[in-house]
Amino acid sequence: MNVLKFGGTSVGSAQNIRKVVEILSVTEKPKIVVLSAMSGVTNLLVSLNQASIDKDSAQITNVLEQLQAKHFEAIEDLFTAENQPETKAQIETFVAALKDIATGGRTLTTYAELVTYGETMLTWMFSKFLDQEQVANVLLNASTFMNVGTVENPNIDSVSESLLPQLEQNPSQLYITQGFVCRDERGSLATLKRGGSDFSATIIAAAVSAAGVQIWTDIDGLHNNDPRYVEGTNPIEHLTYNEAAELAYFGAKILHPQTVAPVIDRDIPVWLKNTFEPSAPGTKISNEYHNRGLKAISAKDGITAIKIKSNRMLGAHGFLRTIFEVFDRHETSIDMITTSEVAISLTIDDTAHLKAIMTELSVIAEVTVEEDHSIICIVGENLIADHESYKAFGILNSIPVRMIAYGGSNNNISLLVPTREKISALQYLNAQLFQLEGAIA
Ligand code: ADP
Ligand code: ASP
Ligand code: MG
């Protein structure tokens, strides 16, 4: 069994959906296909959720019309004149259900119920299109088996227990299901967070002990720098799980931050492939080492730096423990740390409990907070031994670097910079580390 995931752009129009069907016809069977919503649809559903909170009925109507129009446009291209009325009627039923949720009383699951509808609509439409094209397929409802419990540490066994019997009872060479949706520890409908369909694919792959996972998107693999900000980036053919995990966690948008976690221990390889250029090699993520040293750079925004200064730190022990316990009590994880004899600087990305953390820390130390920072992460197995890596530090000449983490792992150098400097920092590092000498502007 293989698991293939197609993202929003890949299923974003009738033309692209046809490309996906073509890829399905030439890839190995059997397979489970995990689909996102059509591109832009989840954003529309997020705004529907906001309109529901605001009780803004004009905006609710406006968003529902856009959602219906987007799906109708695809239907008019994909389906025969004979099949269109029935298919459109089902989309109308979905849109009516969305209206009921958006205008009904809000509950703890209203957000998840609304925003996962894009996947529900698209997979239904996709499966019907396959039926029309006489491609045998079985549509599975992911909310009946994605019992992950916690998103941080998904319970793969529980997913297996629900999914495997469904596969047995509905034998097929081609299953279609929704990404993004899951059930939490209370069994309530939930999401795997934005971009979560990648994570759905690897959770499902782990649950069925798949031979491999293919993540099909709109670019030819994971590039050595963020192509949205840097020109001349290149796809990387091989990454280890550790390299991919670091790059995804530290902002490489092509992968949801937790994507590789379910497959590392099970040693299930993940391929990143381009729907619009299927013959390009893409990126293979596995436990194989092809070449060590510098591989790629990524950046994660929304980082808050906290400096904790206390003279009590001088020669004292137990101070760091006291500080970490504060963060632990507030379930806030720390990404980067640097220390001096009297101060410690650290970063967090979740500021939900920042006020409470500050209140506790202020009792024992002088605390300053700086928001709007980005972590720039330079990644590669045994990067520390790479003779070129020193070139990264020339950045200190031109960009106000707030923190540097070097030596915490052999595979990562992290730099904290103000977000307004992020693009210049990525471009500088690209020129220094990946391009020919003298390329720096
Ligand atoms: P999908 O909708 O298929 O999940 P995403 O938009 O989530 O696709 O991810 C693909 C996009 O990620 C690319 O179009 C690219 O702009 C962006 N991206 C950011 N960093 C990288 C990187 N290092 N390598 C490749 N793509 C990246
Ligand atoms: N449709 C969801 C999102 O836009 C999940 C995904 O595409 O991975 O976040
Ligand atoms: Mg994505």
Side-chain angles (χ1 to χ4, degrees):
M1 182 72 82
N2 281 287
V3 176
L4 280 69
K5 177 255 169 177
F6 292 87
T9 317
S10 304
V11 292
S13 67
Q15 195 191 359
N16 295 358
I17 288 173
R18 284 205 172 84
K19 287 203 163 75
V20 172
V21 173
E22 215 175 290
I23 291 167
L24 295 184
S25 73
V26 296
T27 42
E28 219 180 304
K29 294 172 186 159
K31 56 200 154 203
I32 300 177
V33 175
V34 176
L35 300 176
S36 297
M38 297 180 85
S39 58
V41 163
T42 310
N43 287 347
L44 280 173
L45 291 165
V46 169
S47 65
L48 179 64
N49 181 61
Q50 191 55 50
S52 153
I53 292 169
D54 299 340
K55 295 192 168 39
D56 182 344
S57 47
Q59 176 64 358
I60 291 175
T61 307
N62 169 23
V63 175
L64 292 174
E65 278 172 9
Q66 289 187 60
L67 285 167
Q68 180 159 309
K70 177 138 186 119
H71 290 86
F72 274 20
E73 193 186 331
I75 288 168
E76 281 159 19
D77 190 318
L78 291 171
F79 287 84
T80 60
E82 194 190 344
N83 289 338
Q84 280 181 28
E86 188 199 336
T87 319
K88 284 184 171 176
Q90 179 59 45
I91 294 294
E92 277 167 354
T93 307
F94 286 137
V95 171
L98 270 171
K99 185 175 181 188
D100 285 345
I101 303 167
T103 54
R106 294 203 52 96
T107 69
L108 288 176
T109 58
T110 305
Y111 170 80
E113 285 173 44
L114 291 175
V115 300
T116 58
Y117 240 88
E119 275 70 12
T120 305
M121 293 198 279
L122 182 276
T123 49
W124 182 86
M125 198 169 91
F126 190 90
S127 169
K128 278 283 163 215
F129 178 59
L130 290 178
D131 291 344
Q132 175 186 283
E133 302 301 296
Q134 292 172 346
V135 180
N137 72 99
V138 168
L139 179 61
L140 299 173
N141 180 349
S143 70
T144 64
F145 61 80
M146 286 294 282
N147 316 307
V148 298
T150 63
V151 175
E152 290 71 30
N153 190 13
N155 186 339
I156 304 292
D157 291 340
S158 166
V159 177
S160 286
E161 277 164 32
S162 303
L163 176 54
L164 293 179
Q166 292 198 35
L167 300 183
E168 243 169 67
Q169 283 153 23
N170 303 285
S172 178
Q173 294 295 302
L174 177 58
Y175 297 95
I176 310 292
T177 197
Q178 305 82 29
F180 192 36
V181 66
C182 68
R183 293 207 175 261
D184 65 15
E185 51 276 60
R186 296 188 313 275
S188 303
L189 202 75
T191 76
L192 292 170
K193 312 244 169 88
R194 293 304 306 272
S197 299
D198 303 329
F199 197 23
S200 301
T202 52
I203 291 171
I204 291 170
V208 303
S209 302
V213 181
Q214 298 170 19
I215 294 183
W216 290 83
T217 182
D218 57 4
I219 190 165
D220 53 349
L222 199 145
H223 281 219
N224 58 0
N225 207 326
D226 194 322
R228 292 168 300 174
Y229 307 121
V230 178
E231 280 177 21
T233 61
N234 294 304
I236 304 166
E237 254 185 79
H238 297 276
L239 284 171
T240 64
Y241 290 119
N242 288 335
E243 289 169 336
E246 296 243 27
L247 289 164
Y249 184 74
F250 287 107
K253 186 191 175 242
I254 186 171
L255 284 181
H256 177 281
Q258 288 161 278
T259 306
V260 291
V263 294
I264 296 181
D265 290 341
R266 294 169 178 83
D267 201 5
I268 301 172
V270 179
W271 281 267
L272 308 182
K273 296 280 291 176
N274 189 348
T275 303
F276 309 102
E277 211 190 322
S279 59
T283 298
K284 180 182 179 186
I285 303 168
S286 69
N287 64 7
E288 299 159 25
Y289 290 97
H290 284 261
N291 52 318
R292 294 177 197 252
L294 175 66
K295 287 280 178 63
I297 303 169
S298 62
K300 181 178 175 183
D301 296 337
I303 303 294
T304 298
I306 305 173
K307 186 189 282 169
I308 304 155
K309 194 172 166 213
S310 169
N311 291 332
R312 273 185 51 208
M313 222 176 138
L314 264 175
H317 63 82
F319 188 72
L320 289 180
R321 191 188 62 199
T322 310
I323 289 172
F324 291 145
E325 279 173 354
V326 173
F327 286 87
D328 191 34
R329 267 198 297 285
H330 295 286
E331 292 176 3
T332 299
S333 63
I334 296 167
D335 281 332
M336 263 178 94
I337 307 174
T338 54
T339 62
S340 80
E341 194 50 29
V342 292
I344 168 169
S345 277
L346 47 80
T347 69
I348 60 172
D349 67 352
D350 176 5
T351 52
H353 304 289
L354 182 58
K355 247 192 170 158
I357 291 170
M358 289 284 289
T359 308
E360 283 195 40
L361 289 177
S362 304
V363 178
I364 49 173
E366 193 184 309
V367 189
T368 43
V369 170
E370 291 165 75
E371 290 169 335
D372 299 326
H373 277 65
S374 299
I375 293 178
I376 310 272
C377 189
I378 308 171
V379 170
E381 294 278 353
N382 216 13
L383 169 69
I384 295 286
D386 190 314
H387 295 306
E388 302 293 299
S389 66
Y390 77 92
K391 290 182 180 168
F393 296 101
I395 196 169
L396 294 171
N397 262 337
S398 52
I399 289 183
V401 177
R402 169 69 182 76
M403 286 167 66
I404 298 179
Y406 179 91
S409 113
N410 286 348
N411 311 330
N412 173 326
I413 300 170
S414 296
L415 309 166
L416 185 72
V417 301
T419 299
R420 63 175 184 280
E421 303 282 356
K422 175 185 78 172
I423 296 178
S424 320
L426 287 173
Q427 289 171 346
Y428 177 91
L429 291 170
N430 205 62
Q432 282 288 350
L433 298 173
F434 292 121
Q435 289 176 10
L436 297 173
E437 275 175 32
I440 305 164

